[in-house]
Amino acid sequence: MNSLANAKFRPVAFGPYTSHVEKRADGGYVLRSPEPLQPYLRCYTEALVYWANTAPDRTFLARRNAQGEWVHLSYASALKRVLHIAQALLDRNLNADRPLMILSENSIESALMMLAAQHVGIPFAPISPAYSLLSRSADRVQHAVKLLTPGVVFAQHADRYAHAIEMAVPKDLELIFVEGHLEGRHCTAFNTLEQTPVTEQVESAHQAVGHDTIAKFLFTSGSTKLPKAVVNTHGMLTSNQQMFIQCYLFAKDDPPVLVDWLPWHHTAAGNNNFGIVLYNGGTMYIDDGKPTPDGMAETIRNLREIPSTIHYTVPKGLEMLAHAMKRDTALREQFFKNLKLIFPCGAALPGPLKQTIDELAIQTVGMRIPMTTALGQTETAPFAITAHLPDWQAGVIGNPAPGCEVKLAPVADKLEVRYKGPNITPGYWRQPELTAEAFDEEGYFCSGDAATFINPDHPEEGLRFDGRIAEDFKLISGTWVNVGALRSSIIAAGAPYIHDAVITGHDRDELGMMLFLLPAATALSPALTDNAGTQDIADNPDVQQWAQNLLNELGAKATGSSNRITRAIILRDPPVMELGEMTDKGSINQRTVLRTRAELVEQLYADKPGSTVLRLQDRMATS
């Protein structure tokens, strides 16, 4: 392990890593980067115009067609097509009160629609495909339509989105499809938009776009409430890209190449990843794969062909990729060939997985690949706090990016992270009361995240994530429980079999945990097959014994009632997105699960809990 820790990193240029820290009388702090934010573009598509003139033939976007061949879109071709589509959108009198709504997954056509709208100052709203495809009621699509009152709805495939459209979209609203049409509906073929003659109106509208112009509405994931439409302005997006490039200097000199599956209706991919490519004249290969047993084969196929320079994915994707690279030398060589940065996002990265990635990189290219992380959210566009140092460390989120001011405000026994800067949303669309609640008296956006200093004696070394304020609770003794830290320790101890852990114990005298397991847990028992269901896994004696051992292991390491878990249950049913238990990013909402599975919580604490409830054995032996 020591030799691994001492291994060199691939040389990559990062910006300064430090911050000025001001301590306040109330026990809070304000952190600022000593580096000023440099000027940033007037509007998002200025970058498209620049690269169309500077590197016209360079591939901007690529995606496989039905025959499996890559279809390339150059910067020059993208701009030409965008201008025609922009005219078509202007002809439909779209604006902030009648925006463009996009229902479908990532595609070249979706990208052209987004860019065309932004080019002439028309906001658009990308809606999670899961809201359409995984919900029979399409209630969140209905909510989005009611809140935004779109003027046009775009989808790649008519048949694929027919049900959601029938449930949520008014009959008289124009529908634009790349493929297919719906009988009895006002449908327009996408390719007809590109035949619209361009007039001077397009350039006039483009020149009128400024930092305060709304670029898009991004919906929060939603948990106990319906998703909010976060206003994203052009200034938010362009300042965010300037912040990024001042921290990750290499991307400016070496146009990024991404093979990316992450969905554009999320800020991480739609703002950050897409923006990194566009802002720096890079190339994005749209990956139709996903980090699932069925979808990973496509991702591996793409990565075997395309050497990326930056790789964004969730830890589960990295885990599956690492497993494949152990067996596939060609994949490993191509993946590490030009790679300068790995960025795991969306969830905590297990330490053993980080070690595996490092080992594979050393075996392949003789050095480790820089791995970093950050903290941000939809309301911060998302780049805000960044740990742009080569060596990823668990929980470390870093320092504020240039131009983004961070306040740590005392809340209960924690410090809440609050933001101010040009990358921060002006608020939630048509929900002024929620906007007012989101900002404090000094105009800082209240994130709900908590952080602590890595080293209180040297606060310029940066911040460590300290969970979510709203998730924490008190035991009946009055002892605070840090849910975020506790969940992270459980997931790390139970890797690679735990998806998430829901912590129980609010106003009770002991802590418990409810475990969502991953399909990988089938490896815990020879009696389980790869396609075993969640109920089969939960009821399996070997899995139960593994969970008992995990509970005992955690109990042995506990230092007090705030982190001593005395009981556990493996959940037989997976999280339900329609109930708000899980977002479409795959993260679990603690409070919602506790509410929807209240009966299980009561079983967990029953005097005679039954065979499915596990008890900490060393505690039982002394009770």
Side-chain angles (χ1 to χ4, degrees):
M1 185 66 183
N2 287 335
S3 60
L4 181 63
N6 294 330
K8 293 182 178 180
F9 287 95
R10 172 165 277 166
V12 169
F14 293 112
Y17 179 85
T18 188
S19 63
H20 289 321
V21 181
E22 169 196 334
K23 186 171 183 179
R24 294 190 158 186
D26 64 355
Y29 302 84
V30 174
L31 289 74
R32 304 177 182 89
S33 171
E35 182 179 6
L37 180 65
Q38 299 300 313
Y40 47 95
L41 298 181
R42 170 183 60 84
C43 76
Y44 192 67
T45 56
E46 275 195 318
L48 177 62
V49 175
Y50 175 83
W51 291 110
N53 291 314
T54 304
D57 297 328
R58 183 182 299 166
T59 296
F60 170 31
L61 298 171
R63 189 188 185 204
R64 293 189 191 273
N65 60 19
Q67 291 73 44
E69 300 168 341
W70 287 108
V71 175
H72 294 259
L73 177 70
S74 71
Y75 276 94
S77 179
L79 178 58
K80 181 179 179 181
R81 296 172 70 178
V82 158
L83 295 179
H84 288 279
I85 298 169
Q87 181 68 62
L89 298 181
L90 288 172
D91 290 346
R92 286 158 172 78
N93 297 315
L94 301 185
N95 52 48
D97 292 316
R98 299 180 66 252
L100 166 68
M101 179 174 283
I102 296 176
L103 296 184
S104 51
E105 299 95 335
N106 302 358
S107 69
I108 288 176
E109 293 83 4
S110 289
L112 292 171
M113 290 292 288
M114 295 188 301
L115 291 166
Q118 289 174 304
H119 192 71
V120 291
I122 295 171
F124 72 95
I127 308 300
S128 167
Y131 294 172
S132 296
L133 305 177
L134 300 183
S135 171
R136 294 304 302 170
S137 64
D139 58 329
R140 295 197 173 192
V141 182
Q142 293 183 53
H143 167 67
V145 170
K146 182 178 179 181
L147 181 63
L148 297 180
T149 59
V152 167
V153 174
F154 169 86
Q156 193 81 11
H157 305 278
D159 291 345
R160 186 165 168 77
Y161 289 88
H163 176 73
I165 290 170
E166 181 63 26
M167 297 293 295
V169 178
K171 301 288 187 183
D172 59 345
L173 206 59
E174 182 181 8
L175 309 171
I176 299 172
F177 297 121
V178 178
E179 298 180 29
H181 70 282
L182 300 179
E183 292 294 334
R185 287 282 193 157
H186 178 195
C187 300
T188 300
F190 170 80
N191 58 13
T192 64
L193 302 184
E194 299 188 82
Q195 299 167 15
T196 308
V198 180
T199 72
E200 294 179 358
Q201 186 184 11
V202 170
E203 182 60 20
S204 177
H206 174 63
Q207 292 302 324
V209 178
H211 288 162
D212 295 332
T213 305
I214 299 174
K216 63 170 77 172
F217 302 108
L218 286 180
F219 279 88
T220 57
S221 298
S223 53
T224 56
K225 298 179 181 179
L226 286 169
K228 302 183 289 288
V230 181
V231 174
N232 277 225
T233 65
H234 282 259
M236 285 174 63
L237 303 184
T238 58
S239 68
N240 217 227
Q241 287 305 315
Q242 184 60 38
M243 290 176 184
F244 179 90
I245 205 66
Q246 289 182 228
C247 296
Y248 295 88
L249 301 175
F250 71 91
K252 185 176 182 180
D253 300 323
D254 185 10
V257 176
L258 274 65
V259 176
D260 200 47
W261 65 269
L262 288 160
W264 294 340
H265 63 271
H266 284 313
T267 184
N271 285 359
N272 188 75
N273 299 9
F274 193 94
I276 287 168
V277 170
L278 178 61
Y279 203 81
N280 300 289
T283 300
M284 175 177 284
Y285 291 84
I286 299 171
D287 175 18
D288 289 329
K290 280 184 173 59
T292 63
D294 294 332
M296 197 63 192
E298 179 65 15
T299 293
I300 290 172
R301 175 194 184 191
N302 295 334
L303 291 174
R304 193 181 283 115
E305 292 185 22
I306 310 299
S308 305
T309 61
I310 304 176
H311 187 67
Y312 285 91
T313 192
V314 295
K316 182 61 181 174
L318 269 183
E319 178 189 334
M320 299 176 79
L321 178 60
H323 184 68
M325 288 195 294
K326 289 178 181 179
R327 308 186 309 268
D328 190 332
T329 303
L331 170 64
R332 190 166 70 233
E333 291 176 348
Q334 189 78 318
F335 180 69
F336 290 117
K337 180 180 178 181
N338 297 333
L339 196 62
K340 293 180 170 61
L341 179 67
I342 298 174
F343 198 104
C345 49
L349 181 72
L353 175 56
K354 168 64 165 61
Q355 181 178 339
T356 298
I357 295 293
D358 283 344
E359 290 171 346
L360 289 169
I362 292 169
Q363 292 171 19
T364 309
V365 294
M367 63 189 81
R368 292 193 281 171
I369 305 300
M371 184 180 293
T372 70
T373 190
L375 181 70
Q377 55 197 93
T378 308
E379 290 86 348
T380 67
F383 198 69
I385 300 175
T386 167
H388 51 286
L389 296 172
D391 198 9
W392 172 92
Q393 298 292 328
V396 171
I397 54 176
N399 279 308
C404 184
E405 195 171 288
V406 171
K407 179 166 76 171
L408 301 181
V411 176
D413 65 340
K414 289 198 172 189
L415 294 171
E416 183 185 20
V417 178
R418 299 181 179 181
Y419 301 102
K420 184 185 288 186
N423 60 316
I424 308 305
T425 182
Y428 303 110
W429 186 245
R430 293 175 173 169
Q431 293 181 302
E433 69 288 353
L434 296 181
T435 298
E437 292 172 6
F439 293 86
D440 69 12
E441 67 284 353
E442 293 184 285
Y444 287 88
F445 174 76
C446 304
S447 72
D449 291 326
T452 59
F453 289 107
I454 299 169
N455 183 351
D457 294 329
H458 294 280
E460 72 278 0
E461 293 181 11
L463 300 171
R464 184 183 302 277
F465 186 66
D466 195 30
R468 292 281 296 169
I469 299 288
E471 290 180 347
D472 291 352
F473 59 82
K474 287 183 180 181
L475 295 169
I476 198 169
S477 63
T479 301
W480 275 101
V481 177
N482 185 332
V483 171
L486 197 54
R487 285 173 58 227
S488 294
S489 65
I490 294 167
I491 293 169
Y497 307 119
I498 295 180
H499 176 200
D500 212 329
V502 176
I503 309 302
T504 67
H506 183 265
D507 286 343
R508 299 180 188 268
D509 57 359
E510 294 178 341
L511 292 175
M513 63 180 181
M514 303 195 297
L515 300 177
F516 287 109
L517 298 187
L518 292 164
T522 55
L524 293 168
S525 175
L528 293 171
T529 61
D530 290 341
N531 60 354
T534 55
Q535 293 186 8
D536 295 327
I537 294 173
D539 294 339
N540 180 271
D542 294 325
V543 176
Q544 288 278 330
Q545 185 57 55
W546 167 83
Q548 181 67 65
N549 295 340
L550 174 65
L551 181 60
N552 296 341
E553 176 189 338
L554 293 168
K557 296 178 180 178
T559 58
S561 61
S562 67
N563 56 27
R564 183 183 182 86
I565 300 170
T566 66
R567 56 196 75 213
I569 188 170
I570 301 172
L571 295 172
R572 302 175 77 238
D573 298 315
V576 181
M577 184 180 297
E578 287 191 70
L579 296 178
E581 294 182 333
M582 180 178 70
T583 71
D584 54 350
K585 290 182 288 189
S587 58
I588 302 299
N589 185 280
Q590 294 272 320
R591 295 171 66 186
T592 301
V593 173
L594 292 172
R595 174 174 53 81
T596 56
R597 309 199 185 206
E599 291 184 7
L600 286 177
V601 176
E602 293 303 321
Q603 290 180 31
L604 201 58
Y605 289 91
D607 292 335
K608 297 180 180 180
S611 59
T612 59
V613 174
L614 307 174
R615 297 292 303 274
L616 181 61
Q617 290 179 341
D618 67 344
R619 182 178 180 85
M620 292 180 69
T622 58
S623 58

